[in-house]
Amino acid sequence: MGIDPGTNYMGYGVLEIEGRTLRPVVLGDIDLHRIADPYAKLRYILERVGALVDTYRPQEVALESPFFGENVQSMLKLGRAQGVAMAAALSRGLDVFEYAPMRIKQSITGRGSAAKEQVAAIVCRTLAVERPPKRLDATDGMAVALCHYFTTSGPMNALLGNDRVKGLGGGKKAASKGGSQSWEQFLKKHPDREIK
């Protein structure tokens, strides 16, 4: 399941995978723009994402990580929405993964700066979606699911096993066996390389 967090609309998509065959189960969005109270909005996100997880029973949930913009308040609101969606999945025992917006666009279109309309067109063409959803948030949610599939089904996935990064940018750890601990290990082996 892929989720594109938002404070007005939160897009989602559930992808079914059989071998190399991909099938869209559902594309949609959670309409939040009429809820004025920010805490009521967060409660609604928790309930709706939880209900989606209970209904479609995905094995994993991937989310778009918040992008760093100049408007700190918008970023904070978006981060809260993402955190609540994440908590809904985690509370049901699912693994959660994050992908940066540019990485998602690049995995779908080949360009990290692609427009939402281009992402939507390629998602619909890739999955043979005949009637595109009304809002692009839904195709953005499915793009996150596709990005996660492309990342985890690639040849590097087989080499690295199931040792996945759950931090910003998502996907797999670096090709080193130690992954995120490799820098600390490197400094232990080469103390002369640390700049103090």
Side-chain angles (χ1 to χ4, degrees):
M1 178 178 193
I3 297 176
D4 176 34
T7 54
N8 288 321
Y9 297 98
M10 181 172 283
Y12 61 86
V14 176
L15 187 62
E16 183 178 67
I17 302 151
E18 269 186 59
R20 291 280 179 195
T21 304
L22 307 177
R23 186 179 74 81
V25 176
V26 66
L27 285 95
D29 60 69
I30 300 169
D31 187 347
L32 303 161
H33 84 282
R34 289 194 179 104
I35 304 171
D37 179 14
Y39 300 107
K41 195 175 278 201
L42 294 176
R43 184 184 310 112
Y44 190 66
I45 292 169
L46 183 69
E47 291 167 357
R48 289 289 291 126
V49 171
L52 288 168
V53 168
D54 292 342
T55 300
Y56 296 106
R57 302 199 178 281
Q59 293 179 349
E60 298 173 335
V61 174
L63 294 103
E64 181 175 295
S65 58
F67 58 91
F68 299 99
E70 289 183 22
N71 189 330
V72 177
Q73 284 300 318
S74 294
M75 203 170 74
L76 178 64
K77 289 175 185 174
L78 189 60
R80 286 178 175 170
Q82 185 212 31
V84 169
M86 197 180 286
L90 290 169
S91 71
R92 284 153 173 84
L94 295 177
D95 287 334
V96 173
F97 302 86
E98 291 181 71
Y99 296 92
M102 285 184 67
R103 183 169 179 180
I104 295 165
K105 290 177 180 180
Q106 187 171 24
S107 75
I108 302 299
T109 69
R111 286 183 41 240
S113 61
K116 287 171 83 78
E117 293 80 9
Q118 186 180 8
V119 172
I122 294 174
V123 165
C124 289
R125 189 171 42 230
T126 301
L127 298 174
V129 175
E130 292 177 17
R131 294 176 56 207
K134 189 168 70 171
R135 285 186 276 271
L136 297 177
D137 304 276
T139 47
D140 284 350
M142 185 59 86
V144 179
L146 277 170
C147 174
H148 181 63
Y149 168 72
F150 294 149
T151 302
T152 59
S153 67
M156 282 299 280
N157 188 47
L159 293 172
L160 296 174
N162 288 324
D163 198 15
R164 298 178 182 164
V165 164
K166 295 180 183 174
L168 203 62
K172 292 294 190 181
K173 287 191 177 182
S176 67
K177 198 86 168 148
S180 62
Q181 298 171 358
S182 62
W183 181 244
E184 289 83 7
Q185 291 171 356
F186 175 83
L187 287 177
K188 283 181 185 174
K189 291 179 184 174
H190 308 282
D192 57 307
R193 301 292 294 269
E194 184 176 7
I195 300 171
K196 295 181 181 180

